[in-house]
Amino acid sequence: MNLKFLLIQLFVFTSVVTCRAQFEKYSHIYPISEDPNVRWLSNYSSYEKTQFEANPIIKFSFYNNFAKRLADTTKLHSMAQYLDFRPQFRLYKEESQPIKTPSYRIFLGTQHLFRLKTKKANTTQFIGFAYQTGHHSNGQSKCSFADGKFDGGKYCDSIYASITDQTDLSALLNRETGNYSMNLTELTINYRFNKLNADNYAKHTHSVSLGYVINHKGMLGFIDVDLVSAADLDIIGRHRIHVAYDYQLAFRFSKKSKIYQRIRLKQQVEAVLGAHPHINPLRLETSATFYPASTVSALGISFSYIYGHDNYNYRIVDSGSQLAIGLTWDMFPPVKLTN
C-alpha cells in the first residue's frame, strides 16, 4: 500500500472520529482521558524501525453532562458513562510499509468530577475519578514468542516454560503474528486547580492524576473467560501505577482577539510491578503542546520525549528512548467554569 495514501487515510479517520465533538460545541467532553493523536516517531528498538503512529479514540456516551454542568456553580457533581474504544496503529520502515499487530482496547467506563469550595476569587477546584474495565488485544493468533506456531499449542507452551529471568524477550518476540490478549481495569483519581480569566475560562490549570491498572483474567473484572494466560500475566506484570502532572496556560496574542491560544506541558510516569526482569519497569513521557485556536478548536501540535518500555501491546518487552512530533486533539477542550 502506498505510504502517502495510508497516512492520509489514518489522518482523515482520526480527524473525523475525534473532532466530531467540535461541531457539537463540545457536548461530549471527558476531563479524565487520553488524547488521540497522529505522530511521527523516531526509532525505538534495534529490532524494528518505526515511522508513524495513529491513536484515534472513539467514545460513545450513554450519558454525559460535563459541558452542561461545569459552568454552573450550583452543580457540584458532573459525570459521564460511556463506551471507550482506543485502537493503536504503528507504521514501520519495512517493505510494503506494514502496520504490524495493531492494538485494540475497548472499555466500559464512568467518570465523575466534584466541585470543591474555594475562598480565592476567580478560581475553581475539582476532584474526580475515572473507572474503566475492558479488554486489550492485537487480533493475532500465533505464539507470542515463536513464529508460525499457534498460541496455546504444545510447542508454544514449551517455549513459555523455557523462559527464565535471563531470557532476552525482545529477541524472542514474534513481531509479525504474535498474540497479545489482556483483560484490565483502570482507576484514575484527578485533582485540578484553575485560575480563571475575565471570560471565565481557565487561564492557568494545574492537574495531578494518580492511576492504578490491574491486568487480570476475568472479563470486566469478574467474568472468567479463557482469553488471558497466566504465563502472559507473569511476563507483563499484573499491576501498574500511573502518575501525571499537567500544566496549561491560556493567552491571547492580541487583546482585541476573542480566540485564546494555549500551551500545555505534561509529564507522565508509568511503573510496572511484578513483570519479567527483561522489561524496563518505567516509562516516562514528557510533552509540550501548542493549541493555536484553543477556544474554537481542540487541535494541537505536540512534541514529546519518551523513555522506558514501549506501550504497543507485547512490545512492552522493548525499551529505549524516542522522539515524537504530531497532531493531537484535546478530549477536554476549554469550557467556561463559572456562570
Side-chain angles (χ1 to χ4, degrees):
M1 182 180 292
N2 181 272
L3 172 59
K4 183 177 180 181
F5 175 79
L6 178 59
L7 292 177
I8 291 173
Q9 294 303 308
L10 287 175
F11 176 77
V12 170
F13 172 73
T14 307
S15 300
V16 170
V17 169
T18 60
C19 291
R20 184 181 66 167
Q22 309 306 310
F23 301 101
E24 297 176 351
K25 298 186 182 297
Y26 309 135
S27 62
H28 289 171
I29 59 177
Y30 300 89
I32 306 172
S33 177
E34 294 182 13
D35 290 332
N37 60 60
V38 177
R39 58 186 183 175
W40 168 85
L41 297 172
S42 66
N43 194 32
Y44 196 81
S45 165
S46 59
Y47 293 95
E48 293 171 306
K49 294 182 179 180
T50 55
Q51 278 192 300
F52 285 88
E53 183 177 80
N55 294 276
I57 294 179
I58 309 169
K59 291 183 184 286
F60 300 97
S61 283
F62 307 122
Y63 180 78
N64 188 321
N65 65 11
F66 283 121
K68 182 185 297 183
R69 288 201 165 199
L70 286 178
D72 188 346
T73 55
T74 66
K75 306 296 185 183
L76 302 182
H77 174 225
S78 51
M79 64 178 178
Q81 287 81 39
Y82 52 89
L83 183 69
D84 183 355
F85 179 51
R86 289 182 247 163
Q88 185 178 14
F89 307 100
R90 189 175 289 179
L91 190 71
Y92 290 92
K93 293 180 183 177
E94 297 176 12
E95 187 176 353
S96 79
Q97 311 291 345
I99 294 177
K100 295 187 290 185
T101 60
S103 282
Y104 307 97
R105 290 180 288 174
I106 186 165
F107 298 91
L108 284 173
T110 182
Q111 56 182 269
H112 302 255
L113 275 188
F114 301 90
R115 185 185 296 270
L116 302 178
K117 293 182 179 180
T118 178
K119 295 181 180 179
K120 293 182 179 181
N122 300 321
T123 63
T124 62
Q125 296 182 79
F126 296 93
I127 191 168
F129 72 91
Y131 176 84
Q132 300 187 140
T133 185
H135 182 68
H136 181 191
S137 65
N138 65 359
Q140 305 299 315
S141 60
K142 299 299 177 66
C143 185
S144 301
F145 296 101
D147 294 340
K149 303 296 182 180
F150 280 100
D151 184 61
K154 291 184 178 180
Y155 183 85
C156 187
D157 290 344
S158 68
I159 293 294
Y160 273 90
S162 69
I163 293 174
T164 68
D165 287 354
Q166 289 72 43
T167 300
D168 185 342
L169 297 178
S170 294
L172 200 61
L173 184 64
N174 176 4
R175 299 174 182 272
E176 302 292 336
T177 57
N179 170 64
Y180 179 89
S181 182
M182 193 63 53
N183 296 322
L184 66 161
T185 298
E186 303 176 345
L187 175 64
T188 303
I189 298 172
N190 174 254
Y191 167 78
R192 58 182 63 236
F193 173 85
N194 305 283
K195 185 174 181 180
L196 307 182
N197 58 29
D199 297 321
N200 292 327
Y201 289 99
K203 180 179 181 180
H204 298 278
T205 298
H206 299 271
S207 175
V208 179
S209 296
L210 175 63
Y212 169 68
V213 179
I214 180 169
N215 296 319
H216 49 76
K217 298 192 73 172
M219 191 71 172
L220 302 179
F222 60 90
I223 302 174
D224 190 11
V225 291
D226 190 20
L227 293 174
V228 180
S229 73
D232 286 327
L233 284 170
D234 290 339
I235 290 174
I236 294 170
R238 288 170 169 79
H239 308 278
R240 300 187 190 189
I241 302 295
H242 296 268
V243 179
Y245 170 70
D246 188 346
Y247 170 74
Q248 299 183 52
L249 169 65
F251 61 95
R252 291 182 293 185
F253 284 123
S254 169
K255 292 183 178 180
K256 295 181 180 180
S257 175
K258 294 184 179 180
I259 297 175
Y260 283 87
Q261 288 71 42
R262 186 161 44 111
I263 294 175
R264 183 178 186 182
L265 304 175
K266 189 172 185 179
Q267 178 65 60
Q268 301 177 81
V269 180
E270 177 183 82
V272 177
L273 308 179
H276 186 276
H278 176 79
I279 294 175
N280 186 338
L282 291 178
R283 177 180 173 86
L284 293 80
E285 183 166 352
T286 305
S287 61
T289 306
F290 173 62
Y291 300 90
S294 190
T295 44
V296 295
S297 172
L299 177 65
I301 305 168
S302 182
F303 304 86
S304 300
Y305 171 74
I306 302 164
Y307 167 78
H309 63 254
D310 202 350
N311 69 345
Y312 192 62
N313 51 62
Y314 232 134
R315 284 166 178 78
I316 189 176
V317 299
D318 294 337
S319 181
S321 59
Q322 192 172 48
L323 295 176
I325 303 172
L327 301 176
T328 185
W329 288 263
D330 193 352
M331 299 296 284
F332 187 26
V335 295
K336 291 189 175 184
L337 295 177
T338 70
N339 52 7

